[in-house]
Amino acid sequence: AYFEWLGRQSPAQARDYWQCLLGDYQNRCDVPTHLPRLPATEPTPLFTETRTGAALHGRLLGWCEQQGLTLNAVVQTLWGIYLSRLTGSDDVGFGATVSGRDCDLAGIGTIAGMLINTLPVRIQTASAATFAALVRETAQQFAGSMSAGHLTLAEIQTLTPARAGLVTHALVFENYP
């Protein structure tokens, strides 16, 4: 059923979406979005896990509920702001790993196997007047990306001049018990 659903998706529409979102990325981004290198004496972590305390988590969830936003959009936006400050660029990108189970296929949650994909996220910190507005832009972009998320990251990267510099690392937001 999943492969039938995948076969009904429009690669042309997905390519158009990604080209529209990312087509000028390299032209606007003077500095590739790379994480800083650790000193040679420190091991390079494969991943970092961050946990918040219950009080901070509750305040964040309350703010998200007031704004009609998700905690994932807040985390992605905060990461984009951090990268912006780290690189000095107001246009940064990174990958976000998605479950691949957000499609309109009945029973998608019970299909065995890994359907994950990594999708580009582009944060333009100068585009919004407030933090809430920037989080809204991030959430809207991510929602739009889901409809074009059936293309692989390799396919998406061929559609932008940034290519290899488009996704140099991924943010994984796990939101399950």
Side-chain angles (χ1 to χ4, degrees), residues 95 117-120 149-159 166-167:
N117 194 7
T118 299
L119 301 178
H150 55 278
L151 291 186
T152 66
L153 180 58
E155 291 172 307
I156 295 167
Q157 286 185 266
T158 65
L159 303 173
L166 178 62
V167 173

Side-chain angles (χ1 to χ4, degrees), residues 16 26 63 65 72 74 93 114 123 160 166:
D16 288 348
Q26 183 175 354
W63 185 85
E65 188 175 319
N72 183 35
V74 170
M114 298 286 284
I123 306 287
T160 176
L166 178 62

